[in-house]
Every structure is written in C-alpha cells, then in structure tokens.
Amino acid sequence: MDAQSRGRADEIDPADQWVLNPRTGNYELRLDRSAAQQQPSVAAPRRPSSARPGAPAAPKAPSPAVPSPRRGDGPPGRRGGRPRKGGGGGGRRKKILVVTGGTLAFLLVGGSVGGYLYYDHLNNNLKVTDVGDAGTGGFKKDQPINILVIGTDKRSGAGNEGYGDAESVGHADTTILFHVAKDRSNATALSIPRDLITNIPACPTKQPDGTTKTIPGEKGTRFNISLGQEGRDPGCTMRTVKEITGVAIDHFMMVDFNAVKVLSTAVGGVPVCLAKAVDDKDSKLKLDAGEHRLQGEQALAFVRTRHSFGNHGDLDRIKTQQQFLGSMMREMKSKETLTSPKKFFSLAEAATKSLNVDSGIGSIDKLTNLAGELKDMDLKNITFTTLPVLDNPAEPEGKKATVVVDQRLADPLLKMIQGDVSLTEVEKKEQAAKDAADAEAKSKADALLQGNRAPAGDVRVDIYNGGGPGGSASTTLGWLQNSKGVNKASNRGNAPAKVDTTQLEYAPNQADQARALADMMGLPATALKMGSADAAPKTPMKLTLGADYKGAGVSLTAPQKAPEDIQRVEADKAVCAK
C-alpha cells in the first residue's frame, strides 16, 4: 500500500514525512527503501509496482519508517489512493516535489472573507470561472501584473449559516486590486470600499449551458452588487474595477467566509495586536487588549467586526483587514512556516479548496508561473492603501451610509498605480537594478520631450478614442480648440482597436508639435511614439486616447510621490488595531 492510502500511527503527522533536500531546496517525499534507511524519521516503504488502489496491503516491511498519510492526505496533484494517469509503480520511486524551498506561500486575506494567492496545490480542488474578456487572460514578464482579489460574504462552509443571510449569492464584500510592479520589486494593494457609489458596466457572463448572457449595467449604485446580484460573476467586478481605476485587470482570485477560518488555522494562527479590549456582540469578537494569535472562528470575527475600532464603519474595518493580512503574510514568510512541511501541506490543501480563479490561472502550472514572479518580493515593499473616498453628499447628515471617490486624492494615487510608481522606497540595490535596466529607454523617451515646441496654432492632430470614456475624442477636441488654441485638430471617433494607455504617434519632422501637445495634455514621454520617416506637409499626428484617459485637461503623467493624506501601511509593519 502506498503513501496515499495508509493511515496514521504513533501520533505521527503524515506531513512530517516530507523532508527538505538541502541540495535542491525542495520538500520531497521519500518512498524507496534506501531513502527510508537514510531518513528513518520521514520515509516510508514504497508500494510494490503491482499493487493497485483498493488491493490488499502488502506485508509491512521491517523498517523504522513512519506510516504514510491517510487517503486524501497525499501531496498536491494526487487525490486519495489513485495514481495519476500514466503513473506506474516505477515512477513512484522518483522524488515528488511539493513546494519550492524559499518560495513565499503568498496569500492575500481580507475582509469578512478574504482573497488568497497560493500555489503548488491540488488541481482538482480549484474552482475555475470563465470570465471571457473581462481580464487580459495573462501577464507578461516585462509588464506589471494586476490581480483582483475578491472576498464574498457568501455563507458557504460548515458553521457559517449562523451569520445571517444564509441564502445570499454573495456580494463583493472585500475587494483588493493587487498591482505588482513590472520589475517585481514592489506591489500596491488597493482596497475598494464595498459601499462606494459607482457605475457598473454591462457584463457578458457565461451561463451553465455554455451560452453568454449580457447583464445590463447600473449607474449610481453600490460597488458590492457588482458580484452575485442579477447573476453577475467575478468578471463583472473586474470590469467595474477597471472603470473605477483605469487599470486593466489580468486575473481574479475569490474566496468566501470559510477561507479565513481554514487558512488561519492551517498556518497555526495569525498574530494580532489590540490597543483596547473588544466585546462585539455582532461579530462575536471578545478579546482583551494586547497581543493574540487568532485562528478559525476568532480570526473570522476579527476581520468581520465593524463596531470595535475607529468610527465603527466599513472604512475602519478595511484598515483592520489590512493589518490582519499583513500579519498573515509575515507569518507565512517566517522561518517557522517556511521550514515546516506540516504547515505547507495543510495550507496547500486549505487554500486550494477555498479558491476560485479565472481560467487564465486555473491550473498548477499557471499558478506556479505566477508564484515565480512574486516569490522574491520583500514585504517592506508591499503597501496596503484604500481608494480615497468622501461621504456621499447626496445623503442627509446623520444618515451617511455610502461614499464617493475623493478625486483630489484618488487621481494622483491611481496615476501612480497606472504609471507603475511604487508607494514605498524600494531597496537601493533593487532601485539601482531597475534604473540600469530602464536607463536607455528612459533616455530615449526623455529626449523626445527636449527641444522646441510648436505654436498651438501649428499643431495638427487627429483624435481617436481607443478606450477612454464615451465621447472622449469629442470633448478633447473641444478642450484643445477652445482652451488651448489648437484649431487644426479633428475628431476621428473610435480607434480601430482598444489600447490601455494613451499614445501620440508622430513623424520626426513633427517633433516640435508632439512636444507642444504633450505639454498641454500632460502626456508622459512613454506615450510618444515617433515613426521612422518624415511626414508630408499638413499631415496630422495621431492621438489615441487609451483606458488611462480620464478627461480633457487631466494630466497623464504619474506623480512620483503619493499624497500625504492617503491611508497606507507597509506589509512588514505590525500595527495595533484601535
């Protein structure tokens, strides 16, 4: 009988059979007898190659080996006692990789539920949703990665019915846009309040019979109904976040209530700090002031509570969730977790059973590729922040229940994310490497903006809308003509294809016009695309407004420093909830 179908004995946890190979840095399951002799505390005799799942057990060989896992406790990629297709007995003599040593089991947990990023897990545990073209469907190694982490308030999972609204299809209760820099040195985790008043765009969704149904959009409604209500899937939330932030989303990851409980338990508890004692009857959180290690029901109560900290509202709950998430990440990267096969094994099982992802990352291989992009990031370079908001002015005083975007603070923050500008000071060596890699491209881009500017009346440009709000080409034309004196501009309507970022295409002999227009519109040097041949006289340049375009006169150049008034905390900082 192999390691997949034997039971426990002598109170030895099956995860303890996985050993760290110091030569490779990988955790491995030793199934041959030679391994058992070398590692008597962690190896198990292999099953004869003729054995079949369900066949009588072979006589136990005399060996000091620890008994193998129970059915279902095997390594990621295998379930129960069944071998994978094509797996003969001889293949079981090979080392079986579970996790790469030193790879951070990186996960995001937030809200009354949370979101998780985890890898090296069981394919069959994953839930996969086809969201069509709501996301890019992938990511490139030389470009930023944008993952939407969604926590729903769906009451699935044992023991969660008692939280009320048991039949709810779930809302976008906790949503985090996780932006990973193109050089992978830093990341920004932007929380979006569930009570934000926004527009939800029309959303094509795949139906169980394979057809596609378009759910009509809604204007001026709460953000959290972008999921679940009217049959909306995570793709609808992805589309809504893109409209709010101007950031194209690559993938989504979604979990429900149960995930916080099982993952906090699997990691052995999450350390938290309370500045004051708490007794919240709604969330059932009751703790003394000071430090605690929370798991299971207590962990869920901590991230759900809205009446214990700050102003007893959702915005302060977001701060608590971010503190919990940062602590979870620190715990995951601690030596105690990285060197514990038992914790890794438990986390792999718990995480994959909790996770719903899009088809672009719906396999072990794809998640492993994504993990490889993130594994070396330092926690001090991961910043949690919240989309800046104001009380909804349409609601009467004393009855404020929703919020609206605070454009004064949100615009520069979102431009930093769109422009891939870090909110933290990246390590000097990482910054130096980035500067070296970008030096040539930056020099060329900056050179484009050096030199003379043509008078506004000499600037000729055709304007196309390639991803901006409806009517952007028309409003931009009016603004250029009436406010800037650019009288030789034309509105050409929609561009042939959508683009993520605004682009100005021009010929070498139009460089002075390009500089003038870039100054007027606040275009970054990277938006300027110079052709190889001069243009004929009176030929216009081509301006294509992208998804990053927010309106006439709104600069697209990303600020290099975040506004002082935004809420933010780095993942390596331990903060007491108060």
Side-chain angles (χ1 to χ4, degrees), residues 448 501-507 514 525-531 542:
L448 296 175
T501 58
T502 297
Q503 301 172 2
L504 176 61
E505 300 173 56
Y506 66 100
T526 52
L528 276 60
K529 312 294 181 184
M530 186 173 69
K542 181 181 179 182

Side-chain angles (χ1 to χ4, degrees), residues 36 80 124 141 145 152 190 249 310 372 409 419-420 424 460 473 481 487 496 523 569:
N124 290 338
K141 289 188 176 295
I145 302 173
T152 81
L190 177 72
I249 312 299
L409 297 177
D420 199 30
T424 59
R460 296 177 182 271
Q481 291 177 335
N487 299 316
L523 299 179
V569 63

Side-chain angles (χ1 to χ4, degrees), residues 77-130:
R78 297 179 66 185
R79 304 187 70 182
R82 295 172 295 170
R84 287 184 176 181
K85 289 184 179 180
R92 291 181 179 83
R93 300 175 189 176
K94 298 178 180 179
K95 301 169 184 177
I96 304 175
L97 174 66
V98 178
V99 288
T100 301
T103 297
L104 171 62
F106 189 85
L107 46 86
L108 291 179
V109 182
S112 55
V113 288
Y116 306 84
L117 177 58
Y118 193 73
Y119 15 96
D120 293 326
H121 55 76
L122 300 172
N123 253 334
N124 290 338
N125 279 351
L126 280 176
K127 293 179 283 293
V128 180
T129 299
D130 183 355

Side-chain angles (χ1 to χ4, degrees), residues 109-113 163 260-261 264 270-278 280 282-288 290-309 313 316-328 330 575-578:
V109 182
S112 55
V113 288
Y163 293 115
V260 171
K261 297 199 296 187
S264 60
V270 177
V272 300
C273 173
L274 278 67
K276 61 180 182 179
V278 169
D280 182 357
D282 289 335
S283 69
K284 300 179 177 60
L285 180 67
K286 185 174 182 179
L287 294 171
D288 295 330
E291 297 181 357
H292 301 270
R293 182 174 286 270
L294 307 182
Q295 60 181 291
E297 293 289 348
Q298 273 195 321
L300 179 58
F302 182 81
V303 296
R304 288 187 68 237
T305 184
R306 284 192 294 167
H307 306 294
S308 301
F309 308 113
D316 286 295
R317 184 176 70 160
I318 288 175
K319 297 177 185 178
T320 305
Q321 295 163 1
Q322 293 173 348
Q323 293 162 13
F324 183 86
L325 174 52
S327 182
M328 171 78 85
R330 293 191 297 274
V575 180
C576 287
K578 56 185 179 180

Side-chain angles (χ1 to χ4, degrees), residues 46 95 103 113-114 152 176 195 207 228 231 317 334 373 387 390 393 425 458 460 492 516 531 544 564:
R46 64 180 177 87
K95 301 169 184 177
T103 297
V113 288
T152 81
I176 299 175
D195 295 324
Q207 303 300 302
R317 184 176 70 160
S334 68
E373 298 293 312
L387 181 70
L390 300 167
E425 186 174 342
D458 292 345
R460 296 177 182 271
R492 297 300 183 184
T544 304
E564 294 292 337

